[in-house]
Amino acid sequence: MNDAASAPTPAPRRRARVRAPELIGKGGWLNTGGKELTLANLRGKCVVIDFWTFCCINCLHVLDELRELEEKHRDTVVVIGVHSPKFVHEAEHQAVVDAVERYGVEHPVLDDPELATWKQYAVRAWPTLVVIDPEGYVVAQHAGEGHAHAIERLVEELEAEHGAKGTLRRGDGPFVPPEPEPTTLRFPGGALLLPSGNFLVSDTTRHQLVELAEDAETVVRRIGSGLRGLADGGPDAASFNEPQGLALLDDGSVVVADTVNHALRRLDLATGAVTTLAGTGKQWWQGSATSGPAREVDLSSPWDVAVFGGMVWIAMAGVHQLWTYDPEAGTVAVAAGTTNEGLVDGPAAEAWFAQPSGLAATAERLWLADSETSALRWVDRDGHVHTAVGTGLFDFGHRDGAAGQALLQHPLGVTALPDGSVAIADTYNHALRRYDPATGEVTTLATDLREPSGAVLAGEDIVVVESARHRLTRLRLPEEAVRVESVAHRTQRAATEVAPGTLLLDVVFQPPAGQKLDTRYGPSTRLLVSSTPPELLRKGAGADPDLSRELELNPAVTEGVLHVAAMAASCDDDPANAYPACHVHQQDWGVPVRLTEGGAHRLPLVLAGMDEQEAGAVL
């Protein structure tokens, strides 16, 4: 009898386990047919909780990553979305209902406007994924995107372990799809005035383009099959995946930001034929090419496009950058931004953006709506980045007046006006705003719009894409701005109380089962730390491979934000495989902190795995 045959069966890998807190949210449940869910209802299933908010592009990426897992393991896995708002508008129940339909969420969602469940699970970042085993214990936590492969491996382990124990329950989950509504458009994203006087609209949730007549209501034609996909061809055969921005090229064709396909598409207006200009259909990750032949370079959630200086500029929301596409050379390249999320002006290569979402070009400036910083910014001809309105990731509201004091709330669109000013689709304020560079003033042009995502000029009118009312709305440009009562907000996230002086920053990363850190080409981890204001950090700012770092906080600065960006690379640990698959795990955190005596001396941020110190304290 050989040694292999006589070897005992290895015991299941021991995991840290913490009893999962109950799921509670004042807004109640969606996609359950009106049924309230509890963890007891879900016992016997592998549960993946997705803490998300609909403003966050990384959260939208995770929704797409989870689709395959949901389909492949539909009889054992239940995904639960816990909607945890950043902006005031995201705490409105109807806005969550709209977002669940808009982004095709096909699992139960708990609306948690007061962040009750977020706090119970000690979540610190959007998105965060938590895995609960069939017996109701938390067994893993992952921050950021790109973890679907690790979660699937864990699910397969849990299926085998609990199948053997008899604690796995197979069968349909609690998802109940809502009834579709018959509207001409469904959450349209962008619009373009065509040379004919008609309007081309990206019908985002229906994965189509729609041409409307000059009345902005009558359908002339639809382009695209209406099914999610990336297929070129005629108007009936081509497919899109949540298209957004549109721009007219010099040759009379239209370039489309095909957001979830991570691609740019070209529409021939004469024939309705659709071809792919840029992108591979795969999402850009750290280490991917940042320039080259357009069809060979990955993109990441292109949200809008505009022609500026002979190039097609791309609001690359997924990586907080601006890219360009050269129509003559057929190439793409990074034009501005570092991939770090925040608001930093200066030379293009050093600027920070936060989900750039809307673009509009004039002869001298490329205007952009930088949605997550609630900012209006621009790029000049020399490639420098400037901010007109906005202060950072956590301040927003509806306040008119001098640009330095004015506030927006997650704007998604910008439109250059004939007098040199700019109209801003101030999405979460349900308003159309105006910034005048000549006076430096911000005013309100219109209110009572529902999630406006863009606007186009049509003669003396401005036609607004009123996304959550599923229509285009024509407004006469007013001579005088509307007056509104000023309001200001900060994000609802509570500040973390930390002690002044020394703070140990611990980014927790445990390679998923079957993987190891990839050290073949040097350090496989990287930690970048900065703060707002910069004076908050006396020591510890900058980049280093170590995921733990001792920070020194300035006691004279009582409040601020720690900006933490972490990256770790792991590869499949199989000696027999000469070319193991490798995976990049990355996340940016903006952690509001308040310095108080008696505050914490350690700040753990979970990138992947479990914080053993916290788990040990509970067990």
Side-chain angles (χ1 to χ4, degrees), residues 280-306:
T280 63
K282 297 179 181 178
Q283 185 183 341
W284 187 96
W285 286 99
Q286 290 288 349
S288 301
T290 56
S291 64
R295 292 293 304 275
E296 299 174 16
V297 178
D298 300 336
L299 308 181
S300 183
S301 296
W303 204 274
D304 200 6
V305 281

Side-chain angles (χ1 to χ4, degrees), residues 447-515:
T447 58
D448 193 31
L449 300 167
R450 187 69 187 171
E451 292 192 15
S453 57
V456 293
L457 289 173
E460 296 182 356
D461 296 337
I462 188 164
V463 178
V464 180
V465 182
E466 205 174 353
S467 187
R469 285 200 177 110
H470 319 293
R471 69 188 187 192
L472 301 189
T473 299
R474 187 182 296 268
L475 303 173
R476 179 57 53 92
L477 281 173
E479 296 181 6
E480 295 183 5
V482 177
R483 294 186 180 275
V484 296
E485 183 179 349
S486 295
V487 292
H489 304 287
R490 296 213 87 206
T491 176
Q492 294 187 42
R493 291 176 59 188
T496 299
E497 293 192 349
V498 297
T502 301
L503 176 69
L504 178 62
L505 173 63
D506 254 343
V507 174
V508 177
F509 178 74
Q510 298 159 357
Q515 296 179 29

Side-chain angles (χ1 to χ4, degrees), residues 35-343:
K35 182 180 178 181
E36 297 287 317
L37 298 184
T38 66
L39 287 178
N41 301 143
L42 303 172
R43 198 61 51 83
K45 297 287 190 180
C46 302
V47 178
V48 179
I49 302 179
D50 175 19
F51 289 90
W52 70 298
T53 189
F54 63 78
C55 71
C56 164
I57 191 66
N58 310 91
C59 298
L60 303 186
H61 290 166
V62 167
L63 288 176
D64 291 309
E65 290 176 4
L66 291 175
R67 294 184 202 280
E68 185 175 347
L69 176 72
E70 291 179 274
E71 179 61 30
K72 187 174 179 181
H73 298 269
R74 62 169 51 251
D75 66 334
T76 58
V77 171
V78 174
V79 176
I80 300 290
V82 176
H83 188 268
S84 312
K86 171 185 174 181
F87 290 99
V88 169
H89 170 59
E90 292 174 307
E92 297 176 17
H93 181 70
Q94 185 57 48
V96 181
V97 173
D98 288 344
V100 167
E101 181 189 350
R102 181 194 298 267
Y103 298 115
V105 180
E106 295 185 352
H107 52 247
V109 173
L110 175 64
D111 180 11
D112 183 18
E114 297 176 347
L115 302 180
T117 297
W118 165 288
K119 293 170 186 173
Q120 286 292 308
Y121 281 80
V123 175
R124 298 185 188 275
W126 296 279
T128 291
L129 296 167
V130 174
V131 181
I132 300 174
D133 72 12
E135 293 180 298
Y137 288 90
V138 174
V139 293
Q141 181 171 328
H142 301 267
E145 51 185 296
H147 300 294
H149 63 282
I151 290 175
E152 181 168 15
R153 176 71 177 263
L154 176 56
V155 162
E156 290 170 349
E157 288 185 6
L158 293 173
E159 287 173 340
E161 176 184 338
H162 289 272
K165 290 173 64 176
T167 50
L168 183 70
R169 177 166 57 90
R170 294 183 179 272
D172 291 338
F175 169 65
V176 178
E179 288 292 325
E181 295 189 33
T183 54
T184 300
L185 303 173
R186 205 69 191 161
F187 298 105
L192 178 68
L193 182 67
L194 298 176
S196 65
N198 289 352
F199 296 91
L200 186 68
V201 185
S202 53
D203 196 12
T204 304
T205 297
R206 293 210 179 107
H207 317 296
Q208 290 180 320
L209 306 180
V210 179
E211 185 176 345
L212 300 178
E214 292 184 39
D215 63 5
E217 296 180 5
T218 305
V219 175
V220 176
R221 59 175 170 167
R222 291 183 176 271
I223 298 156
S225 66
L227 302 174
R228 287 183 187 269
L230 178 56
D232 291 343
D236 297 325
S239 57
F240 300 93
N241 198 343
E242 297 183 25
Q244 293 280 356
L246 308 164
L248 198 64
L249 296 177
D250 290 341
D251 65 2
S253 65
V254 174
V255 58
V256 182
D258 195 5
T259 304
V260 180
N261 274 329
H262 311 295
L264 297 188
R265 315 293 292 284
R266 177 185 182 273
L267 168 65
D268 185 315
L269 287 171
T271 65
V274 176
T275 53
T276 300
L277 293 176
T280 63
K282 297 179 181 178
Q283 185 183 341
W284 187 96
W285 286 99
Q286 290 288 349
S288 301
T290 56
S291 64
R295 292 293 304 275
E296 299 174 16
V297 178
D298 300 336
L299 308 181
S300 183
S301 296
W303 204 274
D304 200 6
V305 281
V307 178
F308 179 61
M311 308 288 275
V312 176
W313 286 66
I314 309 164
M316 203 72 79
V319 285
H320 316 299
Q321 290 181 314
L322 302 179
W323 287 43
T324 54
Y325 165 71
D326 185 334
E328 292 190 7
T331 56
V332 292
V334 173
T338 64
T339 75
N340 295 112
E341 184 178 12
L343 194 154

